[in-house]
Amino acid sequence: MATYPLEAPIPHGFPVILDTNVVLSLWMFEDPALVPLRRAVEAGALTLFSREDCLTELSRVLAYSQFKQPPERQIDIAAGYLARCTLIEATETPACELPNCLDRDDQKFLEVARDSGAHALLSRDKLVLKLARRPVIASRFAILTPERFQALLP
């Protein structure tokens, strides 16, 4: 089966999930290659969804010593991202079973995409990206890199 179809231009308010690495790329590393995506998010052109466990992971990763982020910056990044997100609860009776991601820490992002009704999960993680063609995912949402997604922005 093909992947979930996405057509350019992406409409205003398009529902999206960002995994932790994409959030870091946008607001901690300020990746210049992702400026169009960051602008779209900050302008409110995309509807972001997340869940408490995703935000907990973001806070934990921001505190990694190798990133050398002062506590104030960690708080600013996490709070700024939270302010842009609609939080959803974990679903006790999911609409469908998802394939298991080999990295169990990434499973929650698949669940948020499924449970929120998002049309895209943005990730650079190869293990997550490999799941895009699985029928249960391809029929519900796209999984693609932020670079590919931003190419579809108006």
Side-chain angles (χ1 to χ4, degrees):
M1 174 172 216
T3 60
Y4 185 89
L6 294 178
E7 294 184 17
I10 294 295
H12 186 83
F14 192 83
V16 176
I17 309 303
L18 306 180
D19 77 3
T20 300
N21 286 322
V22 173
V23 174
L24 296 177
S25 295
L26 290 173
W27 287 287
M28 187 178 78
F29 296 117
E30 299 179 357
D31 186 342
L34 297 180
V35 167
L37 177 59
R38 182 174 171 168
R39 282 190 190 137
V41 170
E42 291 178 349
L46 303 172
T47 300
L48 303 181
F49 290 94
S50 193
R51 208 168 63 185
E52 282 297 331
D53 53 344
C54 299
L55 298 173
T56 299
E57 176 181 287
L58 175 61
S59 294
R60 180 175 46 81
V61 173
L62 284 167
Y64 285 174
S65 61
Q66 66 262 33
F67 293 142
K68 298 180 170 110
Q69 296 296 307
E72 304 80 31
R73 179 141 163 79
Q74 295 172 37
I75 291 167
D76 286 348
I77 292 169
Y81 179 61
L82 172 60
R84 293 177 175 91
C85 287
T86 297
L87 288 183
I88 66 164
E89 298 290 326
T91 303
E92 290 186 31
T93 55
C96 66
E97 283 298 316
L98 293 168
N100 290 324
C101 190
L102 290 176
D103 181 346
R104 292 187 354 201
D105 283 340
D106 291 325
Q107 192 71 29
K108 61 184 158 287
F109 298 105
L110 299 172
E111 294 169 0
V112 174
R114 175 197 62 201
D115 299 341
S116 67
H119 297 307
L121 165 58
L122 307 188
S123 179
R124 287 177 168 162
D125 187 306
K126 288 180 174 55
L127 296 175
V128 174
L129 293 167
K130 284 177 77 170
L131 296 173
R133 293 189 179 272
R134 300 292 280 282
V136 71
I137 289 177
S139 67
R140 287 172 173 76
F141 57 91
I143 301 175
L144 66 166
T145 65
E147 292 83 2
R148 281 191 54 218
F149 181 80
Q150 78 179 0
L152 302 173
L153 292 171

